[in-house]
Amino acid sequence: MSPSNTALPSSPRNREGNEDIYEKIYVAILEHRLVPGTKLAEERMAEIFKVSRARIREVLARLAYEHIVELIPNKGAFIAKPTVEQARDIFEARRIIEPAIMRRLASNMAAKQAAALREHIAQERQARKNDDKRAVIRLSGEFHNLCADLAGNVALSRSLRELTTLTCLIILVYDAPTAHSCREDEHSMIVEALIEGNEALASTLMSEHLDHIEGSVNLDVSLKEVDLADIFT
């Protein structure tokens, strides 16, 4: 199975349902509930989401196109396990893309964007205060996607969404204990630089932030089997 083998275009209702399934898988990865190497069995997924296997196949094809899922002939679909080389490539790509996003966002900062960033930082702080580890992890990853969305370049936003998801998989594969979420103060410092319109500082802070995340990963693989029903119900 491959993205090119997908069935005829879905109806609007099916597309909406597929998006919901896609988002649930995406969030499960962000929250480190779905680990690399997990098999996403079509029949089991169809039972959990109460949809046809064809619908599940469409979602898996999209995830495979984004390199989040690996489709292995005669074996099925598995959450991707990035290699060390792929991990380095992903961080290199982020170090090129995200400073550019920072410069673009800082140069076009408006009250609406500033409010959205401050609201997100408030959510991160509340999640930490509540010791809600899943929310902290998810919000840490979503911060980067939010910045890309607010910068207003759809191509950059789409690329970064894929890269941030793959970064979550890297952290899981290499079991980085200090990278489960971004450092508490670094997002706040980036936001302040953005709101001030300081392109150079925002870009530099983001580069340093990415260096810290990459520096926290190691090569100790620690994976465990998961129950798909427990994740999605």
Side-chain angles (χ1 to χ4, degrees), residues 53-141:
R53 290 180 66 177
R55 294 270 302 282
I56 294 298
R57 201 171 296 124
E58 291 177 359
V59 175
L60 295 178
R62 176 182 173 186
L63 290 164
Y65 180 78
E66 296 174 355
H67 308 292
I68 296 167
V69 160
E70 183 179 6
L71 301 177
I72 303 177
N74 302 318
K75 290 187 177 181
F78 299 82
I79 299 295
K81 290 194 293 185
T83 65
V84 172
E85 182 179 357
Q86 288 170 334
R88 289 173 178 157
D89 287 347
I90 289 164
F91 278 111
E92 181 181 3
R94 290 189 66 173
R95 281 195 296 270
I96 293 170
I97 290 174
E98 292 198 66
I101 289 173
M102 294 299 102
R103 291 190 292 271
R104 180 184 176 90
L105 182 53
S107 67
N108 296 286
M109 181 60 59
K112 183 178 180 180
Q113 293 154 309
L117 290 169
R118 286 192 171 115
E119 171 61 23
H120 189 91
I121 293 299
Q123 290 178 21
E124 286 190 21
R125 286 173 176 161
Q126 187 62 46
R128 292 179 190 277
K129 181 178 179 181
N130 296 341
D131 197 29
D132 187 341
K133 293 181 174 59
R134 284 186 178 177
V136 170
I137 292 167
R138 173 176 51 79
L139 289 166
S140 293

Coordinates of all heavy atoms in Angstrom, one line a residue, residues 53-141:
R53 N -12.3 0.1 6.8 CA -10.9 -0.1 6.7 C -10.4 0.8 5.5 O -9.3 1.3 5.6 CB -10.5 -1.5 6.4 CG -10.7 -2.5 7.6 CD -10.4 -3.9 7.2 NE -9.0 -4.0 7.0 CZ -8.4 -5.2 6.8 NH1 -9.1 -6.3 6.7 NH2 -7.1 -5.3 6.5
A54 N -11.2 1.1 4.5 CA -10.8 2.0 3.4 C -10.6 3.4 4.0 O -9.6 4.1 3.5 CB -11.9 2.0 2.4
R55 N -11.4 3.8 4.9 CA -11.2 5.2 5.5 C -9.9 5.2 6.3 O -9.1 6.2 6.2 CB -12.4 5.5 6.5 CG -13.7 5.7 5.8 CD -13.9 7.1 5.4 NE -13.9 8.0 6.5 CZ -14.9 8.1 7.4 NH1 -16.0 7.5 7.2 NH2 -14.7 9.0 8.4
I56 N -9.6 4.1 7.1 CA -8.4 4.1 7.8 C -7.2 4.1 6.8 O -6.2 4.7 7.1 CB -8.3 2.8 8.7 CG1 -9.4 2.9 9.8 CG2 -6.9 2.6 9.3 CD1 -9.2 4.0 10.8
R57 N -7.3 3.4 5.7 CA -6.3 3.3 4.7 C -6.0 4.7 4.2 O -4.8 5.0 3.9 CB -6.7 2.3 3.6 CG -5.6 1.8 2.8 CD -6.1 0.7 1.8 NE -6.6 -0.4 2.6 CZ -7.8 -1.0 2.5 NH1 -8.6 -0.4 1.6 NH2 -8.1 -2.0 3.2
E58 N -7.0 5.5 4.0 CA -6.7 6.9 3.5 C -5.9 7.7 4.5 O -5.0 8.4 4.1 CB -8.1 7.6 3.2 CG -8.9 7.0 2.1 CD -10.2 7.7 1.9 OE1 -10.6 8.5 2.7 OE2 -11.0 7.3 1.0
V59 N -6.3 7.6 5.8 CA -5.5 8.3 6.8 C -4.1 7.8 6.9 O -3.2 8.6 7.0 CB -6.2 8.2 8.2 CG1 -5.4 8.8 9.3 CG2 -7.6 8.7 8.1
L60 N -3.9 6.5 6.8 CA -2.5 6.0 6.9 C -1.7 6.4 5.7 O -0.5 6.7 5.8 CB -2.6 4.5 7.0 CG -3.2 3.9 8.3 CD1 -3.3 2.4 8.2 CD2 -2.5 4.4 9.5
A61 N -2.4 6.5 4.5 CA -1.7 6.9 3.3 C -1.2 8.4 3.5 O -0.1 8.7 3.1 CB -2.6 6.8 2.1
R62 N -2.0 9.2 4.1 CA -1.6 10.6 4.3 C -0.4 10.7 5.3 O 0.5 11.4 5.1 CB -2.8 11.4 4.9 CG -2.5 12.8 5.2 CD -3.7 13.6 5.8 NE -3.3 14.9 6.3 CZ -4.1 15.7 7.0 NH1 -5.4 15.3 7.2 NH2 -3.7 16.8 7.4
L63 N -0.5 9.9 6.4 CA 0.6 9.9 7.4 C 1.9 9.4 6.7 O 3.0 9.8 7.1 CB 0.2 9.0 8.6 CG -0.9 9.6 9.4 CD1 -1.5 8.6 10.4 CD2 -0.4 10.8 10.3
A64 N 1.7 8.4 5.8 CA 2.9 7.9 5.2 C 3.5 8.9 4.2 O 4.7 9.0 4.2 CB 2.5 6.6 4.4
Y65 N 2.7 9.7 3.6 CA 3.2 10.7 2.7 C 4.0 11.8 3.5 O 5.0 12.3 3.0 CB 2.0 11.4 2.0 CG 2.4 12.6 1.1 CD1 2.9 12.3 -0.2 CD2 2.2 13.9 1.5 CE1 3.3 13.3 -1.0 CE2 2.6 14.9 0.7 CZ 3.1 14.6 -0.6 OH 3.5 15.7 -1.4
E66 N 3.6 12.0 4.8 CA 4.3 12.9 5.6 C 5.4 12.3 6.4 O 6.0 12.9 7.3 CB 3.2 13.5 6.6 CG 2.2 14.4 5.9 CD 1.1 14.8 6.9 OE1 1.1 14.5 8.1 OE2 0.2 15.6 6.4
H67 N 5.7 11.0 6.1 CA 6.8 10.2 6.7 C 6.6 10.0 8.2 O 7.6 9.7 8.9 CB 8.1 11.0 6.5 CG 8.4 11.3 5.1 ND1 8.6 10.4 4.1 CD2 8.4 12.5 4.4 CE1 8.8 11.0 2.9 NE2 8.7 12.3 3.1
I68 N 5.4 10.1 8.7 CA 5.1 9.8 10.1 C 4.8 8.3 10.3 O 5.0 7.8 11.4 CB 3.9 10.7 10.6 CG1 4.3 12.2 10.5 CG2 3.4 10.3 12.0 CD1 3.2 13.1 10.6
V69 N 4.2 7.7 9.3 CA 3.9 6.3 9.3 C 4.7 5.6 8.2 O 4.9 6.2 7.1 CB 2.4 6.1 9.1 CG1 2.1 4.6 8.6 CG2 1.7 6.3 10.4
E70 N 5.2 4.4 8.4 CA 5.9 3.6 7.4 C 5.0 2.5 7.0 O 4.5 1.7 7.8 CB 7.2 3.1 8.0 CG 8.0 2.3 6.9 CD 9.3 1.8 7.5 OE1 9.6 1.9 8.7 OE2 10.1 1.2 6.7
L71 N 4.8 2.4 5.7 CA 4.0 1.3 5.1 C 4.9 0.2 4.6 O 5.6 0.4 3.7 CB 3.1 1.8 4.0 CG 2.1 3.0 4.4 CD1 1.3 3.4 3.2 CD2 1.1 2.5 5.5
I72 N 4.8 -1.0 5.2 CA 5.6 -2.1 4.8 C 4.8 -3.1 4.1 O 3.8 -3.7 4.7 CB 6.3 -2.7 6.0 CG1 7.1 -1.6 6.8 CG2 7.2 -3.9 5.6 CD1 7.8 -2.1 8.0
P73 N 5.1 -3.5 2.8 CA 4.3 -4.4 2.1 C 4.1 -5.7 2.8 O 5.1 -6.3 3.4 CB 5.1 -4.6 0.8 CG 5.9 -3.3 0.6 CD 6.2 -2.9 2.0
N74 N 2.9 -6.2 2.8 CA 2.6 -7.5 3.5 C 2.7 -7.5 5.0 O 2.6 -8.6 5.6 CB 3.4 -8.7 2.9 CG 3.2 -8.8 1.4 OD1 2.1 -8.7 0.9 ND2 4.4 -9.0 0.7
K75 N 3.0 -6.4 5.6 CA 3.2 -6.3 7.0 C 2.2 -5.3 7.6 O 1.7 -5.5 8.7 CB 4.6 -6.0 7.4 CG 5.5 -7.2 7.2 CD 6.9 -6.9 7.7 CE 7.9 -8.1 7.5 NZ 9.2 -7.9 8.1
G76 N 2.0 -4.2 7.0 CA 1.1 -3.2 7.5 C 1.8 -1.8 7.7 O 2.8 -1.5 7.2
A77 N 1.1 -1.0 8.5 CA 1.5 0.4 8.8 C 2.1 0.5 10.2 O 1.5 -0.1 11.2 CB 0.3 1.3 8.7
F78 N 3.2 1.2 10.3 CA 3.9 1.3 11.6 C 4.3 2.8 11.8 O 4.7 3.4 10.9 CB 5.1 0.4 11.7 CG 4.9 -1.0 11.5 CD1 4.7 -1.6 10.2 CD2 4.8 -1.9 12.6 CE1 4.5 -2.9 10.1 CE2 4.5 -3.2 12.5 CZ 4.4 -3.8 11.2
I79 N 4.2 3.2 13.1 CA 4.7 4.5 13.4 C 6.2 4.6 13.1 O 6.9 3.6 13.5 CB 4.4 4.9 14.9 CG1 2.9 4.9 15.2 CG2 5.1 6.2 15.2 CD1 2.2 6.0 14.5
A80 N 6.6 5.6 12.4 CA 8.0 5.6 12.0 C 9.0 5.6 13.1 O 8.7 6.2 14.2 CB 8.2 6.9 11.1
K81 N 10.2 5.1 12.8 CA 11.3 5.1 13.8 C 12.5 5.8 13.1 O 13.3 5.1 12.4 CB 11.7 3.7 14.2 CG 10.6 3.0 15.1 CD 11.2 1.8 15.8 CE 11.5 0.7 14.8 NZ 11.9 -0.6 15.5
P82 N 12.6 7.1 13.3 CA 13.7 7.8 12.6 C 15.1 7.2 13.0 O 15.4 6.9 14.2 CB 13.6 9.2 13.0 CG 12.1 9.3 13.5 CD 11.8 8.0 14.1
T83 N 16.0 7.1 12.0 CA 17.4 6.7 12.3 C 18.2 7.9 12.8 O 17.7 9.0 12.8 CB 18.1 6.2 11.0 OG1 18.2 7.3 10.1 CG2 17.3 5.0 10.4
V84 N 19.4 7.6 13.3 CA 20.2 8.7 13.8 C 20.5 9.7 12.7 O 20.4 11.0 12.9 CB 21.6 8.2 14.3 CG1 22.5 9.3 14.7 CG2 21.3 7.3 15.6
E85 N 20.8 9.2 11.5 CA 21.0 10.1 10.3 C 19.8 10.9 10.0 O 19.9 12.2 9.8 CB 21.4 9.3 9.1 CG 21.7 10.2 7.9 CD 22.2 9.4 6.7 OE1 22.3 8.1 6.8 OE2 22.4 9.9 5.6
Q86 N 18.6 10.3 10.0 CA 17.4 11.0 9.8 C 17.1 12.1 10.9 O 16.6 13.2 10.6 CB 16.2 10.1 9.7 CG 16.2 9.2 8.4 CD 15.2 8.1 8.5 OE1 14.8 7.6 9.6 NE2 14.8 7.6 7.3
A87 N 17.4 11.7 12.1 CA 17.2 12.7 13.2 C 18.1 13.9 13.0 O 17.6 15.1 13.2 CB 17.6 12.0 14.5
R88 N 19.3 13.7 12.6 CA 20.2 14.9 12.3 C 19.7 15.7 11.2 O 19.7 17.0 11.2 CB 21.6 14.4 12.0 CG 22.3 13.8 13.3 CD 23.6 13.2 12.9 NE 24.3 12.7 14.1 CZ 25.2 11.7 14.1 NH1 25.6 11.2 12.9 NH2 25.8 11.3 15.2
D89 N 19.2 15.1 10.1 CA 18.6 15.8 9.0 C 17.4 16.6 9.4 O 17.2 17.8 9.0 CB 18.2 14.8 7.9 CG 19.4 14.2 7.2 OD1 20.5 14.7 7.3 OD2 19.2 13.2 6.4
I90 N 16.6 16.0 10.3 CA 15.4 16.8 10.8 C 15.7 18.0 11.6 O 15.2 19.1 11.4 CB 14.5 15.8 11.6 CG1 13.8 14.8 10.6 CG2 13.4 16.6 12.3 CD1 13.2 13.6 11.3
F91 N 16.7 17.9 12.5 CA 17.1 19.0 13.2 C 17.8 20.1 12.4 O 17.6 21.3 12.6 CB 18.0 18.6 14.4 CG 17.3 18.1 15.6 CD1 17.3 16.8 15.9 CD2 16.5 18.9 16.3 CE1 16.6 16.3 17.0 CE2 15.8 18.5 17.5 CZ 15.9 17.1 17.8
E92 N 18.5 19.6 11.4 CA 19.2 20.6 10.4 C 18.1 21.4 9.7 O 18.2 22.6 9.5 CB 20.1 19.8 9.5 CG 20.8 20.8 8.5 CD 21.6 20.0 7.5 OE1 21.7 18.8 7.5 OE2 22.3 20.7 6.7
A93 N 17.0 20.7 9.2 CA 16.0 21.3 8.5 C 15.2 22.3 9.4 O 14.9 23.4 9.0 CB 15.0 20.3 8.0
R94 N 15.0 22.0 10.7 CA 14.4 22.9 11.6 C 15.2 24.1 11.9 O 14.7 25.2 12.0 CB 14.0 22.1 12.9 CG 12.9 21.1 12.8 CD 12.4 20.6 14.1 NE 11.8 21.6 14.9 CZ 11.2 21.4 16.0 NH1 11.1 20.2 16.5 NH2 10.6 22.4 16.7
R95 N 16.5 23.9 11.9 CA 17.4 25.1 12.2 C 17.4 26.0 11.0 O 17.8 27.2 11.2 CB 18.8 24.6 12.5 CG 19.0 24.1 14.0 CD 20.4 24.0 14.4 NE 21.1 23.0 13.6 CZ 21.2 21.7 13.9 NH1 20.7 21.3 15.0 NH2 21.9 20.9 13.1
I96 N 17.1 25.5 9.8 CA 17.0 26.4 8.7 C 15.6 27.1 8.6 O 15.5 28.3 8.4 CB 17.2 25.6 7.4 CG1 18.7 25.1 7.3 CG2 16.9 26.5 6.1 CD1 18.9 24.1 6.2
I97 N 14.6 26.3 8.9 CA 13.2 26.8 8.7 C 12.7 27.7 9.8 O 12.2 28.8 9.6 CB 12.2 25.6 8.6 CG1 12.5 24.9 7.2 CG2 10.8 26.1 8.7 CD1 11.6 23.6 7.1
E98 N 13.0 27.3 11.1 CA 12.4 28.0 12.2 C 12.9 29.4 12.4 O 12.2 30.4 12.8 CB 12.4 27.2 13.4 CG 11.4 26.0 13.3 CD 11.0 25.4 14.6 OE1 10.4 26.0 15.4 OE2 11.5 24.2 14.8
P99 N 14.3 29.6 12.3 CA 14.7 31.0 12.4 C 14.1 31.9 11.4 O 13.8 33.1 11.6 CB 16.2 30.9 12.3 CG 16.5 29.5 12.8 CD 15.4 28.7 12.3
A100 N 13.9 31.4 10.2 CA 13.3 32.2 9.1 C 11.8 32.5 9.5 O 11.3 33.6 9.2 CB 13.3 31.4 7.8
I101 N 11.1 31.6 10.1 CA 9.8 31.8 10.6 C 9.8 32.9 11.7 O 8.9 33.8 11.7 CB 9.2 30.5 11.1 CG1 8.9 29.5 10.0 CG2 7.9 30.8 11.9 CD1 8.4 28.2 10.5
M102 N 10.8 32.9 12.6 CA 10.9 33.9 13.6 C 11.0 35.3 13.0 O 10.4 36.2 13.4 CB 12.0 33.6 14.5 CG 11.9 32.3 15.4 SD 10.5 32.3 16.5 CE 9.3 31.3 15.5
R103 N 11.9 35.4 12.0 CA 12.1 36.7 11.4 C 10.9 37.2 10.7 O 10.5 38.4 10.8 CB 13.3 36.6 10.4 CG 14.7 36.4 11.1 CD 15.8 36.6 10.1 NE 15.8 35.5 9.1 CZ 16.5 34.3 9.2 NH1 17.1 34.1 10.3 NH2 16.4 33.4 8.3
R104 N 10.2 36.3 10.0 CA 9.0 36.7 9.3 C 7.9 37.1 10.3 O 7.2 38.1 10.1 CB 8.5 35.5 8.5 CG 7.2 35.8 7.7 CD 6.7 34.6 6.9 NE 5.5 34.8 6.3 CZ 5.3 35.2 5.0 NH1 6.4 35.5 4.3 NH2 4.1 35.4 4.5
L105 N 7.7 36.4 11.4 CA 6.7 36.7 12.3 C 7.0 38.0 13.1 O 6.1 38.8 13.3 CB 6.6 35.5 13.3 CG 5.5 35.6 14.4 CD1 4.1 35.9 13.8 CD2 5.4 34.3 15.2
A106 N 8.2 38.1 13.5 CA 8.6 39.4 14.2 C 8.4 40.6 13.4 O 8.1 41.7 13.9 CB 10.1 39.3 14.7
S107 N 8.7 40.5 12.1 CA 8.6 41.7 11.2 C 7.1 42.0 10.9 O 6.8 43.1 10.3 CB 9.3 41.4 9.9 OG 8.8 40.4 9.1
N108 N 6.2 41.1 11.2 CA 4.8 41.3 10.8 C 3.9 41.1 12.1 O 2.7 40.8 11.9 CB 4.3 40.3 9.7 CG 5.0 40.5 8.4 OD1 4.8 41.5 7.7 ND2 6.0 39.7 8.1
M109 N 4.5 41.4 13.2 CA 3.7 41.1 14.5 C 2.6 42.1 14.6 O 2.8 43.3 14.4 CB 4.7 41.2 15.7 CG 4.0 41.0 17.0 SD 3.3 39.4 17.2 CE 4.7 38.3 17.0
A110 N 1.4 41.6 15.0 CA 0.2 42.5 15.2 C -0.4 42.1 16.5 O 0.0 41.1 17.1 CB -0.8 42.3 14.1
A111 N -1.4 42.9 17.0 CA -2.0 42.6 18.3 C -2.6 41.2 18.4 O -2.5 40.5 19.4 CB -3.0 43.7 18.6
K112 N -3.2 40.8 17.3 CA -3.9 39.5 17.3 C -2.9 38.4 17.5 O -3.1 37.4 18.2 CB -4.7 39.3 16.0 CG -5.5 38.0 15.9 CD -6.2 38.0 14.6 CE -7.0 36.7 14.5 NZ -7.8 36.6 13.2
Q113 N -1.8 38.5 16.8 CA -0.7 37.4 16.9 C -0.1 37.4 18.3 O 0.1 36.4 18.8 CB 0.3 37.7 15.8 CG -0.2 37.5 14.4 CD 0.6 38.3 13.4 OE1 0.8 39.5 13.6 NE2 1.0 37.6 12.3
A114 N 0.2 38.6 18.8 CA 0.7 38.7 20.1 C -0.2 38.1 21.2 O 0.3 37.4 22.1 CB 1.0 40.2 20.5
A115 N -1.5 38.3 21.0 CA -2.5 37.8 22.0 C -2.5 36.3 21.9 O -2.5 35.6 22.9 CB -3.8 38.3 21.7
A116 N -2.4 35.7 20.7 CA -2.4 34.3 20.5 C -1.2 33.6 21.2 O -1.2 32.6 21.8 CB -2.4 33.9 19.0
L117 N 0.0 34.3 21.0 CA 1.2 33.8 21.6 C 1.2 33.8 23.1 O 1.6 32.9 23.8 CB 2.4 34.6 21.1 CG 2.8 34.4 19.6 CD1 3.8 35.4 19.2 CD2 3.4 33.0 19.4
R118 N 0.7 34.9 23.7 CA 0.6 35.1 25.1 C -0.4 34.1 25.7 O -0.2 33.5 26.8 CB 0.2 36.5 25.5 CG 1.3 37.5 25.3 CD 1.0 38.8 25.9 NE 2.1 39.8 25.9 CZ 2.1 40.9 25.3 NH1 1.1 41.3 24.5 NH2 3.2 41.7 25.4
E119 N -1.5 33.8 25.0 CA -2.5 32.8 25.4 C -1.8 31.4 25.5 O -2.1 30.7 26.4 CB -3.7 32.8 24.5 CG -4.7 31.7 24.8 CD -5.3 31.7 26.2 OE1 -5.3 32.8 26.8 OE2 -5.7 30.7 26.6
H120 N -1.0 31.1 24.5 CA -0.4 29.8 24.4 C 0.6 29.7 25.6 O 0.6 28.6 26.2 CB 0.3 29.6 23.1 CG 0.8 28.2 22.9 ND1 0.0 27.2 22.3 CD2 1.9 27.6 23.3 CE1 0.7 26.1 22.3 NE2 1.9 26.3 22.9
I121 N 1.4 30.7 25.8 CA 2.3 30.6 27.0 C 1.6 30.5 28.3 O 2.0 29.7 29.2 CB 3.2 31.9 27.0 CG1 4.1 32.0 25.8 CG2 4.0 32.0 28.3 CD1 5.1 30.8 25.7
A122 N 0.4 31.1 28.4 CA -0.4 31.0 29.6 C -0.9 29.5 29.8 O -0.9 29.0 30.9 CB -1.6 31.9 29.6
Q123 N -1.3 28.9 28.7 CA -1.7 27.5 28.7 C -0.5 26.6 29.1 O -0.7 25.6 29.9 CB -2.2 27.1 27.3 CG -3.6 27.7 27.0 CD -4.0 27.3 25.6 OE1 -3.6 26.3 25.1 NE2 -4.9 28.2 25.0
E124 N 0.7 26.9 28.6 CA 1.8 26.1 29.0 C 2.1 26.2 30.5 O 2.3 25.2 31.2 CB 3.1 26.5 28.2 CG 3.1 26.1 26.7 CD 4.4 26.3 26.1 OE1 5.4 26.5 26.8 OE2 4.5 26.4 24.9
R125 N 2.0 27.4 31.0 CA 2.3 27.6 32.4 C 1.2 26.9 33.3 O 1.5 26.3 34.3 CB 2.3 29.1 32.7 CG 3.6 29.8 32.2 CD 3.5 31.3 32.4 NE 4.7 31.9 32.0 CZ 4.8 33.2 31.7 NH1 3.7 34.0 31.7 NH2 6.0 33.7 31.3
Q126 N 0.0 27.0 32.8 CA -1.1 26.3 33.6 C -0.9 24.8 33.6 O -1.2 24.2 34.6 CB -2.5 26.7 33.0 CG -3.7 26.2 33.8 CD -3.7 26.8 35.2 OE1 -3.5 28.0 35.4 NE2 -3.9 26.0 36.3
A127 N -0.5 24.3 32.5 CA -0.3 22.8 32.4 C 0.8 22.4 33.3 O 0.7 21.4 34.0 CB 0.0 22.4 31.0
R128 N 1.9 23.2 33.4 CA 3.0 22.9 34.3 C 2.5 23.0 35.8 O 2.9 22.2 36.6 CB 4.2 23.8 34.0 CG 4.8 23.6 32.7 CD 6.0 24.6 32.5 NE 6.5 24.5 31.1 CZ 7.4 23.7 30.7 NH1 7.9 22.7 31.5 NH2 7.8 23.7 29.4
K129 N 1.7 24.0 36.0 CA 1.2 24.2 37.4 C 0.4 23.1 37.8 O 0.4 22.6 39.0 CB 0.4 25.5 37.4 CG -0.1 25.8 38.8 CD -0.9 27.2 38.8 CE -1.5 27.5 40.2 NZ -2.3 28.8 40.2
N130 N -0.4 22.5 36.9 CA -1.3 21.4 37.1 C -0.6 20.0 37.1 O -1.2 19.0 37.3 CB -2.5 21.3 36.1 CG -3.4 22.5 36.3 OD1 -3.4 23.2 37.3 ND2 -4.2 22.8 35.2
D131 N 0.7 20.1 36.7 CA 1.5 18.9 36.5 C 0.9 17.9 35.5 O 0.9 16.7 35.7 CB 1.7 18.2 37.9 CG 2.9 17.2 37.8 OD1 3.8 17.4 37.0 OD2 2.9 16.2 38.6
D132 N 0.3 18.5 34.5 CA -0.4 17.8 33.4 C 0.7 17.5 32.4 O 0.9 18.3 31.4 CB -1.5 18.6 32.9 CG -2.3 17.7 31.9 OD1 -1.8 16.7 31.3 OD2 -3.5 18.1 31.6
K133 N 1.4 16.4 32.5 CA 2.6 16.1 31.6 C 2.2 16.0 30.2 O 2.9 16.4 29.3 CB 3.3 14.9 32.1 CG 4.0 15.0 33.5 CD 4.7 13.8 33.9 CE 5.5 14.0 35.2 NZ 4.6 14.4 36.3
R134 N 1.0 15.3 29.9 CA 0.6 15.2 28.5 C 0.3 16.5 27.9 O 0.7 16.8 26.7 CB -0.7 14.3 28.5 CG -0.4 12.8 28.6 CD -1.6 12.0 28.4 NE -1.4 10.6 28.5 CZ -2.3 9.6 28.4 NH1 -3.6 10.0 28.2 NH2 -2.0 8.4 28.5
A135 N -0.3 17.4 28.6 CA -0.6 18.7 28.1 C 0.6 19.5 27.9 O 0.8 20.2 26.9 CB -1.6 19.5 29.0
V136 N 1.6 19.4 28.8 CA 2.8 20.1 28.7 C 3.6 19.7 27.4 O 4.1 20.5 26.6 CB 3.7 19.9 29.9 CG1 5.1 20.4 29.7 CG2 3.1 20.6 31.1
I137 N 3.6 18.4 27.2 CA 4.3 17.9 26.0 C 3.6 18.3 24.7 O 4.3 18.8 23.8 CB 4.4 16.3 26.1 CG1 5.3 15.9 27.2 CG2 4.9 15.7 24.7 CD1 5.2 14.4 27.6
R138 N 2.3 18.2 24.7 CA 1.6 18.6 23.5 C 1.7 20.1 23.2 O 2.0 20.5 22.1 CB 0.1 18.2 23.7 CG -0.8 18.7 22.6 CD -2.3 18.3 22.8 NE -2.8 18.5 24.1 CZ -3.2 19.7 24.5 NH1 -3.2 20.8 23.6 NH2 -3.7 19.9 25.7
L139 N 1.5 20.9 24.2 CA 1.6 22.4 24.1 C 3.0 22.8 23.7 O 3.2 23.7 22.9 CB 1.2 23.1 25.3 CG -0.3 23.0 25.7 CD1 -0.6 23.4 27.1 CD2 -1.1 23.8 24.7
S140 N 4.0 22.1 24.2 CA 5.4 22.4 23.8 C 5.6 22.2 22.3 O 6.2 23.1 21.6 CB 6.4 21.6 24.6 OG 6.4 21.9 26.0
G141 N 5.1 21.1 21.8 CA 5.2 20.9 20.4 C 4.4 21.9 19.5 O 4.8 22.4 18.5

